[in-house]
Amino acid sequence: MKKRKIPWSMLYIAATIIAVILFGIFNREFGNVFYTITHLAPGFLAAGVVITIIYFFFEGGIIRLLMHSQNIPMTLGSSMKIGLIGIYYSYITPSSTGGQPMQAAYLRRDNVPVGLSTAVLIMKFFCFQCAFVFCSILSLLFLHGKIARENPGILPFIYVGMAINGGSILFFGSMFFRPVLGAICRFAKWLTGRFPKLAARFHAEEAIDKFEADFDSYTDDFKEKKNSVICGILLSIPQFILQMSVLYFVFRSFGYSQVGYLEILAIQSLLQLSVSFMPMPGASGAQEIGFSNFLRNYFVNNDLYAAVMVWRFFTYYLVVIAGALVVVADQLLYGRKKTALPPEEGEG
């Protein structure tokens, strides 16, 4: 009898759809947000959506830049897809751990070696973290006196966030030094060696060696192509500013105008700094609590909770929905393309 194939792609699509449905069911404020939005200034909300879309263009553009620096051809549309998929999986996994691995898996499907794609994606993360910490330092210098007077209780969280995010720059940057990468790969071999049957089945040692070699090839090229990394950092600064600017348009949509753009941008940057290391998916819970503590002096007309709902809708829920749609559409198109290929090609 012919062995029946398990329809993994369809199961994957079904799991994605179910996850988004459950996401809506278990977030009670998700349903209430639509009523709140209908009573806000539509122009400012539309502006918030537009800058989020521009943010996605930056995300894809920086990935494409770093890929092209390694002679990996990639269209802007493909890089935006990879970028949005990474954001989607970062938002639905604890501590944002799922983004880069899933991006590497999708790139592997397009015949980009895992070690090389991982190196590029880590460098992309490194560029963004540099911009994140740089803008956060400027924000803290700009608002430190005001926060110390009016809301000193949030300063410890800002300092911890600064230390953790600054440390991540050092850690991920160190991976491009061969001794550090070698130590990580040796640890991975030791760890897989604790499970010999699985290691043998998946050829773990050979896979780790290939990963290290591909990663090393990026490190060799990186020494000659530092300009692409510098450009990645410089482009990540406006990208981060765009991401942090959504709050300003939410603020204005509620009818407030007494505080300027730079102050709202700075307070949002410090809020993000303070909760970015929380282990929940999308820092859920911490984001809402942080918003209430950081923005309580800005939304003063008994509308703080409504503001939290609207802000989270545009910066989190909407991105999750968009990412899920991209994942499902891409899987359907890939399944159709794979079916159309001859058997020896379609099996890859």
PDB file of all heavy atoms in Angstrom, residues 173-210:
ATOM      1  N   GLY A 173      26.941  40.654  19.435  1.00  0.00           N
ATOM      2  CA  GLY A 173      28.122  41.103  18.703  1.00  0.00           C
ATOM      3  C   GLY A 173      29.286  40.155  18.883  1.00  0.00           C
ATOM      4  O   GLY A 173      30.064  39.919  17.944  1.00  0.00           O
ATOM      5  N   SER A 174      29.403  39.549  20.076  1.00  0.00           N
ATOM      6  CA  SER A 174      30.525  38.639  20.350  1.00  0.00           C
ATOM      7  C   SER A 174      30.429  37.357  19.547  1.00  0.00           C
ATOM      8  O   SER A 174      31.441  36.655  19.361  1.00  0.00           O
ATOM      9  CB  SER A 174      30.579  38.304  21.848  1.00  0.00           C
ATOM     10  OG  SER A 174      29.502  37.462  22.228  1.00  0.00           O
ATOM     11  N   MET A 175      29.238  37.019  19.045  1.00  0.00           N
ATOM     12  CA  MET A 175      29.082  35.791  18.273  1.00  0.00           C
ATOM     13  C   MET A 175      29.859  35.828  16.966  1.00  0.00           C
ATOM     14  O   MET A 175      30.099  34.776  16.351  1.00  0.00           O
ATOM     15  CB  MET A 175      27.597  35.525  17.996  1.00  0.00           C
ATOM     16  CG  MET A 175      26.799  35.156  19.225  1.00  0.00           C
ATOM     17  SD  MET A 175      25.080  34.752  18.844  1.00  0.00           S
ATOM     18  CE  MET A 175      25.291  33.221  17.929  1.00  0.00           C
ATOM     19  N   PHE A 176      30.266  37.013  16.541  1.00  0.00           N
ATOM     20  CA  PHE A 176      31.015  37.129  15.291  1.00  0.00           C
ATOM     21  C   PHE A 176      32.525  37.014  15.527  1.00  0.00           C
ATOM     22  O   PHE A 176      33.305  37.253  14.615  1.00  0.00           O
ATOM     23  CB  PHE A 176      30.640  38.427  14.580  1.00  0.00           C
ATOM     24  CG  PHE A 176      29.203  38.426  14.128  1.00  0.00           C
ATOM     25  CD1 PHE A 176      28.207  38.940  14.942  1.00  0.00           C
ATOM     26  CD2 PHE A 176      28.852  37.860  12.922  1.00  0.00           C
ATOM     27  CE1 PHE A 176      26.879  38.913  14.547  1.00  0.00           C
ATOM     28  CE2 PHE A 176      27.525  37.822  12.519  1.00  0.00           C
ATOM     29  CZ  PHE A 176      26.533  38.349  13.331  1.00  0.00           C
ATOM     30  N   PHE A 177      32.908  36.655  16.752  1.00  0.00           N
ATOM     31  CA  PHE A 177      34.292  36.305  17.057  1.00  0.00           C
ATOM     32  C   PHE A 177      34.365  34.786  17.119  1.00  0.00           C
ATOM     33  O   PHE A 177      33.604  34.140  17.849  1.00  0.00           O
ATOM     34  CB  PHE A 177      34.739  36.939  18.374  1.00  0.00           C
ATOM     35  CG  PHE A 177      34.869  38.429  18.311  1.00  0.00           C
ATOM     36  CD1 PHE A 177      33.802  39.253  18.678  1.00  0.00           C
ATOM     37  CD2 PHE A 177      36.041  39.022  17.866  1.00  0.00           C
ATOM     38  CE1 PHE A 177      33.918  40.632  18.627  1.00  0.00           C
ATOM     39  CE2 PHE A 177      36.161  40.400  17.800  1.00  0.00           C
ATOM     40  CZ  PHE A 177      35.097  41.208  18.175  1.00  0.00           C
ATOM     41  N   ARG A 178      35.289  34.205  16.381  1.00  0.00           N
ATOM     42  CA  ARG A 178      35.344  32.749  16.234  1.00  0.00           C
ATOM     43  C   ARG A 178      35.425  31.994  17.573  1.00  0.00           C
ATOM     44  O   ARG A 178      34.756  30.963  17.728  1.00  0.00           O
ATOM     45  CB  ARG A 178      36.513  32.366  15.334  1.00  0.00           C
ATOM     46  CG  ARG A 178      36.201  32.531  13.859  1.00  0.00           C
ATOM     47  CD  ARG A 178      37.250  31.834  12.991  1.00  0.00           C
ATOM     48  NE  ARG A 178      36.825  31.853  11.613  1.00  0.00           N
ATOM     49  CZ  ARG A 178      37.068  32.847  10.770  1.00  0.00           C
ATOM     50  NH1 ARG A 178      37.739  33.898  11.190  1.00  0.00           N
ATOM     51  NH2 ARG A 178      36.643  32.797   9.526  1.00  0.00           N
ATOM     52  N   PRO A 179      36.224  32.451  18.544  1.00  0.00           N
ATOM     53  CA  PRO A 179      36.268  31.695  19.805  1.00  0.00           C
ATOM     54  C   PRO A 179      34.904  31.581  20.483  1.00  0.00           C
ATOM     55  O   PRO A 179      34.578  30.532  21.040  1.00  0.00           O
ATOM     56  CB  PRO A 179      37.256  32.500  20.656  1.00  0.00           C
ATOM     57  CG  PRO A 179      38.118  33.211  19.663  1.00  0.00           C
ATOM     58  CD  PRO A 179      37.207  33.554  18.534  1.00  0.00           C
ATOM     59  N   VAL A 180      34.111  32.656  20.429  1.00  0.00           N
ATOM     60  CA  VAL A 180      32.780  32.626  21.055  1.00  0.00           C
ATOM     61  C   VAL A 180      31.856  31.691  20.287  1.00  0.00           C
ATOM     62  O   VAL A 180      31.164  30.848  20.875  1.00  0.00           O
ATOM     63  CB  VAL A 180      32.186  34.048  21.122  1.00  0.00           C
ATOM     64  CG1 VAL A 180      30.770  34.004  21.688  1.00  0.00           C
ATOM     65  CG2 VAL A 180      33.062  34.949  21.984  1.00  0.00           C
ATOM     66  N   LEU A 181      31.837  31.838  18.959  1.00  0.00           N
ATOM     67  CA  LEU A 181      30.993  30.962  18.141  1.00  0.00           C
ATOM     68  C   LEU A 181      31.402  29.503  18.329  1.00  0.00           C
ATOM     69  O   LEU A 181      30.538  28.619  18.455  1.00  0.00           O
ATOM     70  CB  LEU A 181      31.106  31.354  16.668  1.00  0.00           C
ATOM     71  CG  LEU A 181      30.319  30.480  15.686  1.00  0.00           C
ATOM     72  CD1 LEU A 181      28.824  30.593  15.949  1.00  0.00           C
ATOM     73  CD2 LEU A 181      30.635  30.858  14.243  1.00  0.00           C
ATOM     74  N   GLY A 182      32.714  29.245  18.355  1.00  0.00           N
ATOM     75  CA  GLY A 182      33.188  27.871  18.556  1.00  0.00           C
ATOM     76  C   GLY A 182      32.723  27.306  19.883  1.00  0.00           C
ATOM     77  O   GLY A 182      32.310  26.135  19.964  1.00  0.00           O
ATOM     78  N   ALA A 183      32.765  28.120  20.931  1.00  0.00           N
ATOM     79  CA  ALA A 183      32.319  27.659  22.257  1.00  0.00           C
ATOM     80  C   ALA A 183      30.830  27.339  22.247  1.00  0.00           C
ATOM     81  O   ALA A 183      30.386  26.339  22.838  1.00  0.00           O
ATOM     82  CB  ALA A 183      32.633  28.722  23.306  1.00  0.00           C
ATOM     83  N   ILE A 184      30.034  28.175  21.575  1.00  0.00           N
ATOM     84  CA  ILE A 184      28.590  27.940  21.493  1.00  0.00           C
ATOM     85  C   ILE A 184      28.304  26.639  20.745  1.00  0.00           C
ATOM     86  O   ILE A 184      27.460  25.832  21.154  1.00  0.00           O
ATOM     87  CB  ILE A 184      27.893  29.136  20.818  1.00  0.00           C
ATOM     88  CG1 ILE A 184      27.971  30.377  21.710  1.00  0.00           C
ATOM     89  CG2 ILE A 184      26.431  28.803  20.500  1.00  0.00           C
ATOM     90  CD1 ILE A 184      27.462  31.648  21.049  1.00  0.00           C
ATOM     91  N   CYS A 185      29.010  26.417  19.635  1.00  0.00           N
ATOM     92  CA  CYS A 185      28.796  25.202  18.845  1.00  0.00           C
ATOM     93  C   CYS A 185      29.258  23.956  19.598  1.00  0.00           C
ATOM     94  O   CYS A 185      28.622  22.905  19.521  1.00  0.00           O
ATOM     95  CB  CYS A 185      29.512  25.322  17.498  1.00  0.00           C
ATOM     96  SG  CYS A 185      28.765  26.536  16.376  1.00  0.00           S
ATOM     97  N   ARG A 186      30.346  24.065  20.344  1.00  0.00           N
ATOM     98  CA  ARG A 186      30.789  22.921  21.147  1.00  0.00           C
ATOM     99  C   ARG A 186      29.770  22.587  22.230  1.00  0.00           C
ATOM    100  O   ARG A 186      29.495  21.411  22.514  1.00  0.00           O
ATOM    101  CB  ARG A 186      32.154  23.215  21.784  1.00  0.00           C
ATOM    102  CG  ARG A 186      33.317  23.157  20.790  1.00  0.00           C
ATOM    103  CD  ARG A 186      34.660  23.122  21.525  1.00  0.00           C
ATOM    104  NE  ARG A 186      34.870  24.327  22.326  1.00  0.00           N
ATOM    105  CZ  ARG A 186      35.414  25.447  21.868  1.00  0.00           C
ATOM    106  NH1 ARG A 186      35.771  25.534  20.580  1.00  0.00           N
ATOM    107  NH2 ARG A 186      35.594  26.483  22.661  1.00  0.00           N
ATOM    108  N   PHE A 187      29.193  23.611  22.824  1.00  0.00           N
ATOM    109  CA  PHE A 187      28.148  23.382  23.825  1.00  0.00           C
ATOM    110  C   PHE A 187      26.932  22.718  23.180  1.00  0.00           C
ATOM    111  O   PHE A 187      26.325  21.818  23.768  1.00  0.00           O
ATOM    112  CB  PHE A 187      27.735  24.707  24.474  1.00  0.00           C
ATOM    113  CG  PHE A 187      26.564  24.573  25.413  1.00  0.00           C
ATOM    114  CD1 PHE A 187      26.730  24.001  26.664  1.00  0.00           C
ATOM    115  CD2 PHE A 187      25.298  25.001  25.036  1.00  0.00           C
ATOM    116  CE1 PHE A 187      25.657  23.859  27.536  1.00  0.00           C
ATOM    117  CE2 PHE A 187      24.219  24.866  25.892  1.00  0.00           C
ATOM    118  CZ  PHE A 187      24.393  24.293  27.146  1.00  0.00           C
ATOM    119  N   ALA A 188      26.575  23.169  21.962  1.00  0.00           N
ATOM    120  CA  ALA A 188      25.436  22.568  21.259  1.00  0.00           C
ATOM    121  C   ALA A 188      25.701  21.085  20.979  1.00  0.00           C
ATOM    122  O   ALA A 188      24.801  20.244  21.124  1.00  0.00           O
ATOM    123  CB  ALA A 188      25.175  23.316  19.959  1.00  0.00           C
ATOM    124  N   LYS A 189      26.939  20.740  20.592  1.00  0.00           N
ATOM    125  CA  LYS A 189      27.282  19.332  20.361  1.00  0.00           C
ATOM    126  C   LYS A 189      27.188  18.531  21.659  1.00  0.00           C
ATOM    127  O   LYS A 189      26.686  17.398  21.674  1.00  0.00           O
ATOM    128  CB  LYS A 189      28.692  19.234  19.786  1.00  0.00           C
ATOM    129  CG  LYS A 189      28.822  19.686  18.341  1.00  0.00           C
ATOM    130  CD  LYS A 189      30.267  19.513  17.876  1.00  0.00           C
ATOM    131  CE  LYS A 189      30.441  19.998  16.466  1.00  0.00           C
ATOM    132  NZ  LYS A 189      31.848  19.847  15.997  1.00  0.00           N
ATOM    133  N   TRP A 190      27.695  19.109  22.731  1.00  0.00           N
ATOM    134  CA  TRP A 190      27.616  18.424  24.028  1.00  0.00           C
ATOM    135  C   TRP A 190      26.162  18.183  24.416  1.00  0.00           C
ATOM    136  O   TRP A 190      25.807  17.102  24.896  1.00  0.00           O
ATOM    137  CB  TRP A 190      28.320  19.257  25.088  1.00  0.00           C
ATOM    138  CG  TRP A 190      28.170  18.681  26.479  1.00  0.00           C
ATOM    139  CD1 TRP A 190      28.935  17.709  27.061  1.00  0.00           C
ATOM    140  CD2 TRP A 190      27.146  19.025  27.431  1.00  0.00           C
ATOM    141  NE1 TRP A 190      28.463  17.424  28.329  1.00  0.00           N
ATOM    142  CE2 TRP A 190      27.372  18.215  28.577  1.00  0.00           C
ATOM    143  CE3 TRP A 190      26.083  19.924  27.426  1.00  0.00           C
ATOM    144  CZ2 TRP A 190      26.550  18.295  29.704  1.00  0.00           C
ATOM    145  CZ3 TRP A 190      25.264  20.002  28.542  1.00  0.00           C
ATOM    146  CH2 TRP A 190      25.509  19.194  29.677  1.00  0.00           C
ATOM    147  N   LEU A 191      25.325  19.202  24.200  1.00  0.00           N
ATOM    148  CA  LEU A 191      23.917  19.092  24.578  1.00  0.00           C
ATOM    149  C   LEU A 191      23.209  18.029  23.749  1.00  0.00           C
ATOM    150  O   LEU A 191      22.467  17.197  24.294  1.00  0.00           O
ATOM    151  CB  LEU A 191      23.229  20.448  24.395  1.00  0.00           C
ATOM    152  CG  LEU A 191      21.829  20.600  24.983  1.00  0.00           C
ATOM    153  CD1 LEU A 191      21.866  20.392  26.500  1.00  0.00           C
ATOM    154  CD2 LEU A 191      21.258  21.976  24.650  1.00  0.00           C
ATOM    155  N   THR A 192      23.425  18.033  22.439  1.00  0.00           N
ATOM    156  CA  THR A 192      22.780  17.019  21.600  1.00  0.00           C
ATOM    157  C   THR A 192      23.333  15.624  21.900  1.00  0.00           C
ATOM    158  O   THR A 192      22.622  14.628  21.724  1.00  0.00           O
ATOM    159  CB  THR A 192      22.977  17.339  20.106  1.00  0.00           C
ATOM    160  OG1 THR A 192      24.382  17.457  19.826  1.00  0.00           O
ATOM    161  CG2 THR A 192      22.276  18.629  19.730  1.00  0.00           C
ATOM    162  N   GLY A 193      24.583  15.570  22.358  1.00  0.00           N
ATOM    163  CA  GLY A 193      25.165  14.284  22.726  1.00  0.00           C
ATOM    164  C   GLY A 193      24.480  13.624  23.896  1.00  0.00           C
ATOM    165  O   GLY A 193      24.616  12.405  24.105  1.00  0.00           O
ATOM    166  N   ARG A 194      23.727  14.423  24.689  1.00  0.00           N
ATOM    167  CA  ARG A 194      22.970  13.831  25.803  1.00  0.00           C
ATOM    168  C   ARG A 194      21.789  13.015  25.288  1.00  0.00           C
ATOM    169  O   ARG A 194      21.183  12.260  26.053  1.00  0.00           O
ATOM    170  CB  ARG A 194      22.433  14.921  26.744  1.00  0.00           C
ATOM    171  CG  ARG A 194      23.445  15.890  27.341  1.00  0.00           C
ATOM    172  CD  ARG A 194      24.522  15.190  28.116  1.00  0.00           C
ATOM    173  NE  ARG A 194      25.709  14.955  27.285  1.00  0.00           N
ATOM    174  CZ  ARG A 194      26.725  14.192  27.615  1.00  0.00           C
ATOM    175  NH1 ARG A 194      26.724  13.560  28.760  1.00  0.00           N
ATOM    176  NH2 ARG A 194      27.759  14.057  26.810  1.00  0.00           N
ATOM    177  N   PHE A 195      21.435  13.171  24.009  1.00  0.00           N
ATOM    178  CA  PHE A 195      20.308  12.456  23.406  1.00  0.00           C
ATOM    179  C   PHE A 195      20.813  11.748  22.141  1.00  0.00           C
ATOM    180  O   PHE A 195      20.531  12.179  21.022  1.00  0.00           O
ATOM    181  CB  PHE A 195      19.174  13.422  23.068  1.00  0.00           C
ATOM    182  CG  PHE A 195      18.755  14.291  24.226  1.00  0.00           C
ATOM    183  CD1 PHE A 195      19.311  15.561  24.398  1.00  0.00           C
ATOM    184  CD2 PHE A 195      17.835  13.833  25.161  1.00  0.00           C
ATOM    185  CE1 PHE A 195      18.942  16.368  25.469  1.00  0.00           C
ATOM    186  CE2 PHE A 195      17.464  14.631  26.230  1.00  0.00           C
ATOM    187  CZ  PHE A 195      18.015  15.896  26.394  1.00  0.00           C
ATOM    188  N   PRO A 196      21.584  10.682  22.304  1.00  0.00           N
ATOM    189  CA  PRO A 196      22.290  10.069  21.174  1.00  0.00           C
ATOM    190  C   PRO A 196      21.387   9.590  20.053  1.00  0.00           C
ATOM    191  O   PRO A 196      21.744   9.703  18.874  1.00  0.00           O
ATOM    192  CB  PRO A 196      23.043   8.898  21.829  1.00  0.00           C
ATOM    193  CG  PRO A 196      22.400   8.683  23.157  1.00  0.00           C
ATOM    194  CD  PRO A 196      21.866   9.997  23.577  1.00  0.00           C
ATOM    195  N   LYS A 197      20.212   9.049  20.366  1.00  0.00           N
ATOM    196  CA  LYS A 197      19.332   8.543  19.308  1.00  0.00           C
ATOM    197  C   LYS A 197      18.836   9.678  18.419  1.00  0.00           C
ATOM    198  O   LYS A 197      18.828   9.583  17.188  1.00  0.00           O
ATOM    199  CB  LYS A 197      18.151   7.793  19.921  1.00  0.00           C
ATOM    200  CG  LYS A 197      18.541   6.465  20.559  1.00  0.00           C
ATOM    201  CD  LYS A 197      17.313   5.717  21.056  1.00  0.00           C
ATOM    202  CE  LYS A 197      17.720   4.361  21.659  1.00  0.00           C
ATOM    203  NZ  LYS A 197      16.539   3.605  22.156  1.00  0.00           N
ATOM    204  N   LEU A 198      18.402  10.769  19.054  1.00  0.00           N
ATOM    205  CA  LEU A 198      17.944  11.929  18.272  1.00  0.00           C
ATOM    206  C   LEU A 198      19.099  12.545  17.500  1.00  0.00           C
ATOM    207  O   LEU A 198      18.943  12.946  16.338  1.00  0.00           O
ATOM    208  CB  LEU A 198      17.308  12.963  19.205  1.00  0.00           C
ATOM    209  CG  LEU A 198      15.921  12.632  19.770  1.00  0.00           C
ATOM    210  CD1 LEU A 198      15.493  13.700  20.768  1.00  0.00           C
ATOM    211  CD2 LEU A 198      14.898  12.528  18.643  1.00  0.00           C
ATOM    212  N   ALA A 199      20.272  12.628  18.135  1.00  0.00           N
ATOM    213  CA  ALA A 199      21.437  13.215  17.470  1.00  0.00           C
ATOM    214  C   ALA A 199      21.815  12.415  16.235  1.00  0.00           C
ATOM    215  O   ALA A 199      22.152  12.978  15.186  1.00  0.00           O
ATOM    216  CB  ALA A 199      22.607  13.290  18.445  1.00  0.00           C
ATOM    217  N   ALA A 200      21.746  11.083  16.347  1.00  0.00           N
ATOM    218  CA  ALA A 200      22.090  10.237  15.204  1.00  0.00           C
ATOM    219  C   ALA A 200      21.040  10.355  14.097  1.00  0.00           C
ATOM    220  O   ALA A 200      21.374  10.404  12.912  1.00  0.00           O
ATOM    221  CB  ALA A 200      22.215   8.787  15.651  1.00  0.00           C
ATOM    222  N   ARG A 201      19.780  10.404  14.486  1.00  0.00           N
ATOM    223  CA  ARG A 201      18.707  10.467  13.490  1.00  0.00           C
ATOM    224  C   ARG A 201      18.775  11.743  12.672  1.00  0.00           C
ATOM    225  O   ARG A 201      18.545  11.734  11.461  1.00  0.00           O
ATOM    226  CB  ARG A 201      17.351  10.360  14.193  1.00  0.00           C
ATOM    227  CG  ARG A 201      16.183  10.393  13.220  1.00  0.00           C
ATOM    228  CD  ARG A 201      14.844  10.241  13.934  1.00  0.00           C
ATOM    229  NE  ARG A 201      13.745  10.296  12.997  1.00  0.00           N
ATOM    230  CZ  ARG A 201      12.470  10.223  13.344  1.00  0.00           C
ATOM    231  NH1 ARG A 201      12.136  10.068  14.621  1.00  0.00           N
ATOM    232  NH2 ARG A 201      11.523  10.290  12.422  1.00  0.00           N
ATOM    233  N   PHE A 202      19.064  12.871  13.338  1.00  0.00           N
ATOM    234  CA  PHE A 202      19.072  14.161  12.636  1.00  0.00           C
ATOM    235  C   PHE A 202      20.481  14.624  12.267  1.00  0.00           C
ATOM    236  O   PHE A 202      20.654  15.771  11.844  1.00  0.00           O
ATOM    237  CB  PHE A 202      18.386  15.218  13.506  1.00  0.00           C
ATOM    238  CG  PHE A 202      16.918  14.962  13.709  1.00  0.00           C
ATOM    239  CD1 PHE A 202      16.445  14.439  14.900  1.00  0.00           C
ATOM    240  CD2 PHE A 202      16.014  15.227  12.682  1.00  0.00           C
ATOM    241  CE1 PHE A 202      15.093  14.191  15.081  1.00  0.00           C
ATOM    242  CE2 PHE A 202      14.657  14.989  12.859  1.00  0.00           C
ATOM    243  CZ  PHE A 202      14.191  14.465  14.057  1.00  0.00           C
ATOM    244  N   HIS A 203      21.478  13.721  12.422  1.00  0.00           N
ATOM    245  CA  HIS A 203      22.865  14.061  12.067  1.00  0.00           C
ATOM    246  C   HIS A 203      23.267  15.397  12.688  1.00  0.00           C
ATOM    247  O   HIS A 203      23.747  16.312  12.015  1.00  0.00           O
ATOM    248  CB  HIS A 203      23.032  14.111  10.543  1.00  0.00           C
ATOM    249  CG  HIS A 203      22.522  12.881   9.842  1.00  0.00           C
ATOM    250  ND1 HIS A 203      23.185  11.673   9.891  1.00  0.00           N
ATOM    251  CD2 HIS A 203      21.403  12.669   9.094  1.00  0.00           C
ATOM    252  CE1 HIS A 203      22.515  10.768   9.189  1.00  0.00           C
ATOM    253  NE2 HIS A 203      21.429  11.338   8.699  1.00  0.00           N
ATOM    254  N   ALA A 204      23.038  15.493  13.985  1.00  0.00           N
ATOM    255  CA  ALA A 204      23.196  16.766  14.684  1.00  0.00           C
ATOM    256  C   ALA A 204      24.616  17.312  14.599  1.00  0.00           C
ATOM    257  O   ALA A 204      24.818  18.507  14.352  1.00  0.00           O
ATOM    258  CB  ALA A 204      22.783  16.607  16.151  1.00  0.00           C
ATOM    259  N   GLU A 205      25.614  16.446  14.782  1.00  0.00           N
ATOM    260  CA  GLU A 205      26.984  16.936  14.787  1.00  0.00           C
ATOM    261  C   GLU A 205      27.377  17.516  13.434  1.00  0.00           C
ATOM    262  O   GLU A 205      27.991  18.588  13.359  1.00  0.00           O
ATOM    263  CB  GLU A 205      27.945  15.810  15.177  1.00  0.00           C
ATOM    264  CG  GLU A 205      29.372  16.293  15.377  1.00  0.00           C
ATOM    265  CD  GLU A 205      30.249  15.266  16.074  1.00  0.00           C
ATOM    266  OE1 GLU A 205      29.698  14.368  16.752  1.00  0.00           O
ATOM    267  OE2 GLU A 205      31.484  15.376  15.947  1.00  0.00           O
ATOM    268  N   GLU A 206      26.987  16.825  12.344  1.00  0.00           N
ATOM    269  CA  GLU A 206      27.292  17.332  11.009  1.00  0.00           C
ATOM    270  C   GLU A 206      26.558  18.646  10.742  1.00  0.00           C
ATOM    271  O   GLU A 206      27.120  19.579  10.144  1.00  0.00           O
ATOM    272  CB  GLU A 206      26.904  16.300   9.950  1.00  0.00           C
ATOM    273  CG  GLU A 206      27.718  15.018   9.993  1.00  0.00           C
ATOM    274  CD  GLU A 206      27.112  13.971  10.928  1.00  0.00           C
ATOM    275  OE1 GLU A 206      26.317  14.353  11.820  1.00  0.00           O
ATOM    276  OE2 GLU A 206      27.454  12.787  10.768  1.00  0.00           O
ATOM    277  N   ALA A 207      25.306  18.712  11.216  1.00  0.00           N
ATOM    278  CA  ALA A 207      24.517  19.939  11.008  1.00  0.00           C
ATOM    279  C   ALA A 207      25.138  21.121  11.747  1.00  0.00           C
ATOM    280  O   ALA A 207      25.183  22.243  11.223  1.00  0.00           O
ATOM    281  CB  ALA A 207      23.082  19.717  11.470  1.00  0.00           C
ATOM    282  N   ILE A 208      25.622  20.878  12.968  1.00  0.00           N
ATOM    283  CA  ILE A 208      26.246  21.960  13.748  1.00  0.00           C
ATOM    284  C   ILE A 208      27.543  22.409  13.086  1.00  0.00           C
ATOM    285  O   ILE A 208      27.838  23.609  13.012  1.00  0.00           O
ATOM    286  CB  ILE A 208      26.484  21.503  15.199  1.00  0.00           C
ATOM    287  CG1 ILE A 208      25.145  21.295  15.916  1.00  0.00           C
ATOM    288  CG2 ILE A 208      27.327  22.527  15.958  1.00  0.00           C
ATOM    289  CD1 ILE A 208      25.265  20.602  17.250  1.00  0.00           C
ATOM    290  N   ASP A 209      28.331  21.440  12.571  1.00  0.00           N
ATOM    291  CA  ASP A 209      29.572  21.795  11.873  1.00  0.00           C
ATOM    292  C   ASP A 209      29.290  22.635  10.634  1.00  0.00           C
ATOM    293  O   ASP A 209      29.998  23.620  10.358  1.00  0.00           O
ATOM    294  CB  ASP A 209      30.339  20.527  11.479  1.00  0.00           C
ATOM    295  CG  ASP A 209      31.019  19.859  12.663  1.00  0.00           C
ATOM    296  OD1 ASP A 209      31.262  20.562  13.671  1.00  0.00           O
ATOM    297  OD2 ASP A 209      31.289  18.646  12.595  1.00  0.00           O
ATOM    298  N   LYS A 210      28.237  22.258   9.890  1.00  0.00           N
ATOM    299  CA  LYS A 210      27.886  23.026   8.686  1.00  0.00           C
ATOM    300  C   LYS A 210      27.394  24.422   9.057  1.00  0.00           C
ATOM    301  O   LYS A 210      27.740  25.412   8.410  1.00  0.00           O
ATOM    302  CB  LYS A 210      26.812  22.288   7.877  1.00  0.00           C
ATOM    303  CG  LYS A 210      26.514  22.950   6.525  1.00  0.00           C
ATOM    304  CD  LYS A 210      25.508  22.157   5.731  1.00  0.00           C
ATOM    305  CE  LYS A 210      25.342  22.763   4.345  1.00  0.00           C
ATOM    306  NZ  LYS A 210      25.036  24.191   4.337  1.00  0.00           N
TER     307      LYS A 210
END
